[in-house]
Amino acid sequence: MAFKDLKQKKWFKIMTNMYVLVLSVFLVWMLFFDTNSLLIHLELRKEIKKLEKTQDFLKDEIARDKKIIEKLSDEDELERFAREEYYLKKKNEEIYLIEYEDSLKVKDKE
């Protein structure tokens, strides 16, 4: 197929049109090479979704912590929490911790 035959084809005439060439270069530039390219937009959208999930998780954590703070405003609940979580005790009081075998970490003997 000679160049003359190729020039006669309709698709070749369309593809070699100056407007089509400039538009093609512009589209390629905007999609891949520009600072606001499509690839960067996709990355940013993924980052936004990840941050929104984190935000929802943190909102749930804040609500849970507010409930705990509300609960700890009562003096009896505060004492119970301190005894259970931090093993605090009153003076002249003894505390015995009971651990079951299945909760202990035991090294495997070889």
Side-chain angles (χ1 to χ4, degrees):
M1 185 181 261
F3 187 67
K4 252 185 182 179
D5 294 335
L6 192 59
K7 263 183 147 179
Q8 299 301 323
K9 301 280 186 178
K10 186 175 181 178
W11 64 269
F12 185 78
K13 287 182 181 181
I14 292 173
M15 293 306 290
T16 55
N17 185 341
M18 183 58 85
Y19 294 112
V20 173
L21 288 174
V22 169
L23 182 64
S24 300
V25 169
F26 176 74
L27 286 175
V28 168
W29 179 265
M30 291 305 288
L31 290 176
F32 300 107
F33 302 115
D34 192 45
T35 56
N36 298 319
S37 70
L38 178 67
L39 300 175
I40 292 174
H41 279 283
L42 293 176
E43 283 181 33
L44 290 175
R45 185 173 294 152
K46 197 184 298 183
E47 181 79 19
I48 287 171
K49 286 182 182 181
K50 185 175 131 186
L51 290 173
E52 285 174 347
K53 285 181 183 179
T54 305
Q55 183 181 22
D56 291 340
F57 171 75
L58 292 175
K59 281 182 181 178
D60 293 340
E61 287 292 312
I62 289 171
R64 188 175 59 85
D65 290 344
K66 281 184 181 179
K67 286 181 185 176
I68 290 172
I69 289 171
E70 231 175 79
K71 194 175 180 183
L72 293 179
S73 64
D74 182 27
E75 209 167 297
D76 294 332
E77 287 293 321
L78 182 63
E79 182 180 341
R80 185 186 63 79
F81 180 80
R83 287 174 174 267
E84 288 177 2
E85 295 296 319
Y86 298 108
Y87 307 116
L88 297 179
K89 63 177 188 159
K90 295 180 181 178
K91 288 184 179 179
N92 300 325
E93 185 179 54
E94 292 183 22
I95 296 178
Y96 297 98
L97 298 177
I98 300 172
E99 294 182 355
Y100 297 100
E101 281 186 36
D102 59 349
S103 66
L104 296 176
K105 295 180 181 176
V106 180
K107 293 184 179 178
D108 293 331
K109 293 181 181 179
E110 294 180 13

